[in-house]
Amino acid sequence: MLIDAHIHADTRPYEDFEKMVISGIDAAITCAHDPLRMTTAAVVLDHFHRLLNNDIKRASANGLKLFVALGVHPRSISHNYDMVIEHLPNLLQNDLMVAIGEIGLETTSKEEINVFSKQLELADDLKTKVIVHTPRTNKKEVTETTTEIILENINPKLVLIDHVDFEIVDNLIDHDFTLGLTVQPLKMRPSDAVKLLKKYGTNKFVLNSDISSSPSDPISVPKTVHAMRMADFSEEDIKAVSKKNATNFFNLKI
Ligand SMILES: [Zn+2]
């Protein structure tokens, strides 16, 4: 039984969910993002509605249990984003919403920092987990600012920082964060994940595919598990990054 801890189900065909389940994935977390030009809060809330309804059903029809993370992504900040944030406590009443996310910074603009801080404060008040995106461009610098803002606004134990790679891991590993490894054609190969886990251990990491409309591999988590087995990781280590750490962090009922 495997968990893919960060996907974008709304961008994927029905057949991907079947492929994932056949490859051993039983559960996944689909995160809010920027599939459209998010011109108003209503568009963002309709995106949430789709994830919570259509996508949960499409996944479940293939035997995949889908959980949801909802929030204002740095690329979906509309002029009335406050309305979206106001809805989050209500949306969290749904047991399938397990985190606020993905949120974070893309360029570190003032507005992004504002939206990010507000959501972190809210999550801290509600003791809700957050999934924090780190960008591809200026990754190191942006992640440094991201970390500062997190430490000012929320208990780090509530935070999963995602898309961690060799460039940023040293600055994150000594904090109380959970760390996401995104195994995706343009980000990290299974062999890179193996290398990183050999060096830093499996305690803090969770695997994900981040399948989206960018080049993606719906079975990158099982492929990484296979690569770990070939590299002589113990079954306990494999279970930690492919299931246990995510189940514990998000308190998943599976
Ligand atoms: Zn994502």
Side-chain angles (χ1 to χ4, degrees), residues 60-198:
S60 146
N62 284 288
L64 181 70
K65 172 102 175 167
L66 202 59
F67 297 95
V68 172
L70 304 174
V72 182
H73 188 284
R75 294 193 302 260
S76 26
I77 300 172
S78 62
H79 64 95
N80 53 350
Y81 69 83
D82 269 336
M83 257 179 71
V84 180
I85 298 178
E86 274 166 27
H87 270 80
L88 293 175
N90 229 338
L91 290 162
L92 277 161
Q93 302 294 317
N94 186 328
D95 284 344
L96 293 174
M97 179 173 169
V98 294
I100 293 179
E102 62 185 294
I103 58 174
L105 304 177
E106 189 76 26
T107 64
T108 70
S109 73
K110 239 188 176 166
E111 191 177 44
E112 280 182 9
I113 290 177
N114 208 354
V115 174
F116 183 41
S117 312
K118 279 188 184 170
Q119 293 181 98
L120 291 174
E121 266 174 45
L122 175 67
D124 195 51
D125 285 348
L126 300 173
K127 308 247 177 308
T128 296
K129 304 294 160 45
V130 294
I131 298 176
V132 177
H133 155 99
T134 54
R136 222 165 284 181
T137 313
N138 297 327
K139 194 172 188 77
K140 200 163 182 204
E141 296 73 18
V142 176
T143 304
E144 275 165 20
T145 311
T146 304
T147 307
E148 278 166 31
I149 295 168
I150 291 171
L151 296 174
E152 279 164 21
N153 289 288
I154 187 171
N155 175 356
K157 290 194 172 138
L158 295 171
V159 178
L160 183 148
I161 300 194
D162 223 322
H163 321 319
V164 171
D165 63 9
F166 275 106
E167 204 187 339
I168 59 172
V169 65
D170 284 323
N171 291 340
L172 301 172
I173 196 78
D174 293 330
H175 291 283
D176 281 331
F177 308 134
T178 295
L179 305 175
L181 288 185
T182 298
V183 184
Q184 196 200 53
L186 297 179
K187 287 192 176 121
M188 179 176 269
R189 292 166 301 178
S191 58
D192 301 319
V194 162
K195 237 185 261 165
L196 195 146
L197 292 167
K198 278 268 183 213

Side-chain angles (χ1 to χ4, degrees), residues 38-55:
M38 302 302 208
T39 43
T40 70
V43 181
V44 182
L45 292 170
D46 278 348
H47 167 53
F48 293 175
H49 183 268
R50 176 188 166 142
L51 298 178
L52 278 170
N53 295 279
N54 314 44
D55 290 315

Side-chain angles (χ1 to χ4, degrees), residues 6-8 31 33 73 102 133 163 210:
H6 183 141
I7 72 168
H8 296 287
C31 303
H33 63 136
H73 188 284
E102 62 185 294
H133 155 99
H163 321 319
D210 197 12

Side-chain angles (χ1 to χ4, degrees), residues 3 5 160 178-179 197 201-207 236-252:
I3 294 172
L160 183 148
T178 295
L179 305 175
L197 292 167
T202 55
N203 280 355
K204 296 196 163 186
F205 292 94
V206 302
L207 296 174
E236 203 186 327
D237 278 335
I238 292 172
K239 196 176 167 192
V241 294
S242 62
K243 182 188 174 197
K244 203 185 89 197
N245 296 348
T247 308
N248 291 349
F249 177 77
F250 292 106
N251 197 14
L252 301 180

